[in-house]
Amino acid sequence: MGRVWFTDHPHISATFEDLTIVTPRINNAYFAQKVVTAGSPAQGDTAATAPTVAFNEIHQGILGRDIYILVETENFIPLNQNILSTERASLTVTLKTADCNLTGTAEQTLQITDGTAAIDSITVQVGDTTALNDSNGDCPYGNVDEFIDTAIIKVSLRPNTRAVFDTWAENISNAGQDLPAIEIEIAHEDANMIVAYGPEENPQGVWVASGRFMNTDGHRFTLQNKNVYEIYHGDNLFNPLGTHTHNGEVVRRRIASIENTFSTDVKYFFYNGIDNCYEICECPLSTARRRNNGQRVSTTLFQSTYNNFTSSVPAPEGGDAETNYHYADGSIISYGQAYGYRRYPLANPNNLNDLVNLIRMPDNLNFNQETGSNRVRATFTYRNTARRYCNPESFAGFLGSLIQLDREDIVCTGMCFADATSYPSVTHPNGDSVDTAYLATLTREQLKVNAFNDFYFDNVYKGYGYKIINGVQVTTISWLPSLTNATAISGHEDHLHAGDFDSNKLLILN
């Protein structure tokens, strides 16, 4: 039954007609995404306001990603405290399988990682907002008092070892459309407390035998396989990825990945400066044989040495190549009238397993959310290219650069093709480089170079700013020589090349 206090209100007796029975209750528990509303700066006599935080219930997650669990309570006051106390009791959260699709056993306790070890459950005090702290241990939100009756937990939906991760991923894959569901079990920590579970339906409450949530129609939570890249704004104080040395400075890592060999899709997420998370795009994933840099081949050499091709097919429409010639050793020679022949040999012709991952990039991405300094805008179009495949991690760096630039006029002139060739370029097969048209001014282009540097492209190539035509030097872009942190190289008078994404700076989460 509930608890009755007479001490503070001696005029109340057990027969008093307005006597209220106070029942500690756990109303609801659910998986959620954090949503932050930016505060306002001080203006004149108006004081600055802090950002506020809220949560949206969600019903699907991705194996490996972090997620919030919210537990809503009322009257959840410790037995040793007065009914008017602002202190709240603690509870324990356990994740359970709702079916056999994830582990082979229903109602099994899921062991997830706490970052260093496998754990069966998490105990937290209701009203504790530690899960909302940034990496410095500060909680910047101005409305935390709203959560005095809510337990907030942040968990990683992944096991502690790669082997178990792969087992779960394989089981999810085998389940097909019947994705595994996860339930939340809540137990009060103090065994002497008598707690009601579920929403109150009458003055005395409905007594529920078990505190199991997310197990009814419309409230089930399922888990899916995806490859994931998580990208962080440079000023995001909630970034949990740790630090490393970049350009001689100790800074927080900006990109992390979750690798899932049972998925053929890649989702890209971005966390902006106030830690709102947005799914930027999803791209199909494929593999191709890894290739070395290309080689220029003269017409004479092609006719005399490379006329033993096994097949020829039209090149992808929309680019400079017209015909692709395939050879028994796996190499490909591409031909186009404007640029002639380029040969792309395999990196390891005798190793069928030497593969490179490629994603098919979106056709003309236009993502735009929020405003001002919190805006997440990833926008680009293509020009004169059919090279719309890219290494997945390089594309993550490209998206981070786009969002840092926050522009509408970025033009991509191509990465690579599905077979990992990159005609007419010989310097970026395998989709490990990004080509973009120059912006209108030195200032704008310098910001672009800086963004590529910030998101781990080690080598950025520019043009010289002139061409030699009939022995005469003709200026192309006068300010190109002044562009810093970029190396001048021939063939780049009309585009910037950002290449050699540094994989060592990518944090693999699983």
Side-chain angles (χ1 to χ4, degrees):
M1 62 175 291
R3 299 158 61 190
V4 181
W5 276 263
F6 299 109
T7 304
D8 291 333
H9 303 283
H11 63 286
I12 297 178
S13 68
T15 59
F16 190 71
E17 62 180 6
D18 291 329
L19 176 67
T20 299
I21 304 298
V22 177
T23 303
R25 182 180 298 278
I26 297 174
N27 286 322
N28 196 14
Y30 53 92
F31 296 97
Q33 180 179 16
K34 182 175 71 171
V35 180
V36 180
T37 300
S40 62
Q43 294 182 351
D45 295 332
T46 303
T49 60
T52 58
V53 62
F55 293 89
N56 289 335
E57 181 176 341
I58 58 177
H59 299 101
Q60 190 166 80
I62 296 174
L63 177 62
R65 296 202 74 212
D66 289 351
I67 196 169
Y68 287 93
I69 297 173
L70 265 68
V71 184
E72 297 175 347
T73 74
E74 61 180 287
N75 305 318
F76 210 70
I77 301 166
L79 292 176
N80 63 353
Q81 294 292 315
N82 185 285
I83 191 64
L84 301 178
S85 173
T86 57
E87 185 177 342
R88 299 294 183 262
S90 296
L91 49 79
T92 299
V93 175
T94 305
L95 301 184
K96 298 277 190 175
T97 56
D99 48 49
C100 299
N101 293 344
L102 186 61
T103 66
T105 304
E107 298 192 10
Q108 179 180 355
T109 296
L110 281 180
Q111 286 193 326
I112 58 175
T113 186
D114 66 356
T116 57
I119 57 172
D120 292 316
S121 61
I122 300 171
T123 299
V124 64
Q125 184 177 13
V126 173
D128 184 354
T129 58
T130 302
L132 297 178
N133 289 354
D134 62 23
S135 57
N136 295 324
D138 299 322
C139 185
Y141 306 117
N143 65 325
V144 290
D145 289 347
E146 297 176 11
F147 299 99
I148 187 173
D149 291 308
T150 303
I152 305 174
I153 307 103
K154 188 175 184 180
V155 299
S156 298
L157 289 179
R158 59 178 173 269
N160 193 56
T161 66
R162 179 73 216 194
V164 178
F165 182 100
D166 288 340
T167 298
W168 288 8
E170 184 175 12
N171 291 341
I172 294 172
S173 178
N174 292 338
Q177 297 297 316
D178 187 19
L179 292 174
I182 298 176
E183 298 177 357
I184 303 173
E185 185 175 82
I186 309 297
H188 49 284
E189 188 182 24
D190 188 341
N192 294 316
M193 285 183 70
I194 299 176
V195 177
Y197 293 94
E200 187 174 5
E201 296 180 3
N202 59 61
Q204 296 301 316
V206 176
W207 299 90
V208 180
S210 175
R212 193 75 66 86
F213 297 88
M214 299 300 290
N215 58 359
T216 58
D217 289 343
H219 291 279
R220 296 189 185 277
F221 179 85
T222 57
L223 199 60
Q224 63 177 327
N225 285 329
K226 294 290 178 183
N227 293 281
V228 171
Y229 283 85
E230 297 183 336
I231 311 163
Y232 283 83
H233 188 284
D235 296 330
N236 185 315
L237 295 179
F238 296 85
N239 180 340
L241 303 183
T243 61
H244 66 154
T245 301
H246 180 59
N247 293 336
E249 182 182 0
V250 176
V251 295
R252 289 205 167 267
R253 295 178 187 270
R254 294 194 177 197
I255 305 176
S257 72
I258 299 170
E259 299 176 347
N260 191 319
T261 57
F262 293 91
S263 173
T264 57
D265 298 293
V266 183
K267 281 184 179 285
Y268 291 89
F269 295 90
F270 186 85
Y271 291 84
N272 70 355
I274 57 175
D275 206 41
N276 280 327
C277 181
Y278 293 97
E279 180 184 332
I280 305 301
C281 59
E282 181 173 348
C283 303
L285 179 69
S286 61
T287 59
R289 297 286 298 276
R290 187 183 305 275
R291 298 186 180 276
N292 286 331
N293 280 349
Q295 306 156 350
R296 289 175 171 80
V297 174
S298 67
T299 300
T300 300
L301 187 60
F302 177 82
Q303 293 173 347
S304 63
T305 305
Y306 293 113
N307 58 1
N308 60 338
F309 52 87
T310 58
S311 65
S312 64
V313 295
E317 295 183 2
D320 295 303
E322 299 169 16
T323 306
N324 285 338
Y325 299 92
H326 293 259
Y327 295 82
D329 65 357
S331 62
I332 296 174
I333 291 182
S334 299
Y335 169 78
Q337 186 173 358
Y339 294 97
Y341 296 92
R342 302 285 191 271
R343 178 174 180 266
Y344 300 93
L346 292 176
N348 291 289
N350 298 321
N351 184 358
L352 297 177
N353 295 319
D354 185 23
L355 304 174
V356 61
N357 288 326
L358 296 173
I359 56 102
R360 173 58 164 84
M361 298 185 298
D363 291 324
N364 301 326
L365 181 64
N366 186 16
F367 185 93
N368 193 355
Q369 293 288 333
E370 296 198 54
T371 59
S373 62
N374 299 312
R375 178 156 51 198
V376 180
R377 177 161 59 182
T379 300
F380 73 92
T381 58
Y382 294 99
R383 178 189 299 165
N384 300 331
T385 185
R387 299 179 301 172
R388 302 192 180 190
Y389 287 79
C390 189
N391 181 284
E393 58 190 35
S394 296
F395 190 64
F398 181 46
L399 289 176
S401 302
L402 287 176
I403 296 169
Q404 181 167 310
L405 282 169
D406 187 22
R407 298 189 63 86
E408 296 178 327
D409 54 354
I410 303 300
V411 175
C412 175
T413 58
M415 280 69 159
C416 77
F417 296 101
D419 57 13
T421 64
S422 55
Y423 186 92
S425 172
V426 295
T427 58
H428 55 93
N430 308 318
D432 59 2
S433 302
V434 176
D435 282 353
T436 53
Y438 290 117
L439 294 170
T441 68
L442 172 62
T443 299
R444 295 175 185 176
E445 192 64 24
Q446 188 64 65
L447 290 173
K448 176 146 64 90
V449 171
N450 296 346
F452 282 131
N453 290 156
D454 287 342
F455 281 93
Y456 308 148
F457 289 95
D458 278 354
N459 291 308
V460 178
Y461 299 142
K462 63 179 180 178
Y464 288 98
Y466 63 85
K467 291 181 178 180
I468 304 298
I469 301 177
N470 297 324
V472 178
Q473 180 173 308
V474 178
T475 298
T476 53
I477 300 176
S478 61
W479 46 258
L480 269 186
S482 300
L483 193 64
T484 61
N485 298 322
T487 302
I489 190 171
S490 62
H492 291 78
E493 297 309 316
D494 61 353
H495 72 277
L496 186 81
H497 169 104
D500 300 311
F501 180 91
D502 188 349
S503 301
N504 294 323
K505 292 173 180 173
L506 173 73
L507 180 65
I508 299 176
L509 293 176
N510 55 327

